[in-house]
Amino acid sequence: MRWFATPGELRRRGVLGMNRRNTEMIATLNPRSHYPLVDDKLQTKELALGAGIAVPELYGVIETQHDIRRLSAIVAGRDDFVIKPAHGSGGNGILVITGRMGERFRKASGMLVDLDEVKHHVSNILSGMYSLGGQPDRAMIEYRVRFDPLFAEVSFQGVPDIRTVVYKGYPVMAMVRLPTRASDGKANLHQGAVGAGIDIATGVTGHGVWHNEIVHRHPDTGASLAGIAIPGWNRLLELAAGCRELIGMGYLGVDVVLDRQFGPLILELNARPGLAVQTANGLGLLDRIRAVDTHPARDTADAAGRAAFVRQLPEPS
């Protein structure tokens, strides 16, 4: 089922559109000088570690074509890992290795590749194939998250993540992004993942969006998307809220994964979060944005206070 509505209906629902997002949120609230802090995943990781925020362990970085020969040593003795571009966007260029079979590596999709193919992928990353603006990039090799079994029935092979949209330090809306066969195990909606809305007050999932259609079950597993209670929800909201101080941006997407061993890990931050979170929740962002803007203690509340504020917001009628 697709979500169609007239412009008037969208306004009544408080839906934030692309143009308004770009001008009033991104251009106004996100200083250009801070973009490298989120566009460069290595800088983001260093900032988070400095603030005591847990992130996936970094195994190594490859910066030049000559350095590719070091890849074998970096992944030696590791059955699984993730390779990603430091300046990638939209989930492009991420290679997830889930295991080995002899000298070959198994991708999240189940396909086997050899070391030369992995090196070729790293070479493409360095050339800027997946980076913002096509600029030369660096390849990060890091820990592969073992996701919490909570999402096992609504994920296909990859790692689900929780995307929270943070406005002026307030975590106003969230969804869990669930990998599918079509997305090759990646939690990216543009590549075919499912986004399931999360009730901001309770941390319980509802219906989802997949290829711009409203769905109630995972397309691969057939399991219901609704009714999954995310543990430690209050803490996750506080973690997302605290990224305002970490990065200094007023409109931000915070991506968190739940690792079965290490708990919540910050995966990355996004200065240009998309708007599909509204479809996933069946709600518009503007009502919550207005509530934040009229909150008397908007600029003085700490991260815990900001998270508590959004949890008590009434649902739109």
Side-chain angles (χ1 to χ4, degrees), residues 11 49-50 53 58 81 87 94 137 140 186 244 267 278 306:
R11 284 193 295 271
L49 287 170
I53 297 173
L58 183 67
F81 51 88
H87 291 86
I94 298 176
D137 207 349
M140 304 165 56
K186 299 183 181 71
R244 167 67 186 274
L267 198 60
Q278 299 177 109
R306 297 194 297 266

Side-chain angles (χ1 to χ4, degrees), residues 171 200-203 230-240 303-304 307-308 311:
I200 206 73
T202 64
I230 297 173
W233 179 243
N234 293 350
R235 175 61 190 137
L236 290 176
L237 288 181
E238 292 172 14
L239 186 63
R311 289 198 304 271

Side-chain angles (χ1 to χ4, degrees), residues 53-125:
I53 297 173
V55 295
E57 180 185 353
L58 183 67
Y59 296 149
V61 179
I62 294 177
E63 301 192 24
T64 68
Q65 297 289 344
H66 185 262
D67 280 347
I68 293 177
R69 63 182 183 174
R70 295 175 44 238
L71 180 64
S72 297
I74 292 173
V75 303
R78 304 190 188 279
D79 290 334
D80 58 344
F81 51 88
V82 175
I83 300 177
K84 62 174 62 173
H87 291 86
S89 64
N92 296 317
I94 298 176
L95 176 63
V96 180
I97 299 299
T98 61
R100 295 196 188 212
M101 178 176 287
E103 297 299 315
R104 293 179 176 270
F105 300 90
R106 188 178 301 279
K107 295 170 57 177
S109 64
M111 182 183 299
L112 291 171
V113 293
D114 60 25
L115 181 61
D116 285 341
E117 290 174 289
V118 177
K119 287 182 175 180
H120 181 69
H121 182 79
V122 172
S123 179
N124 287 339
I125 289 176

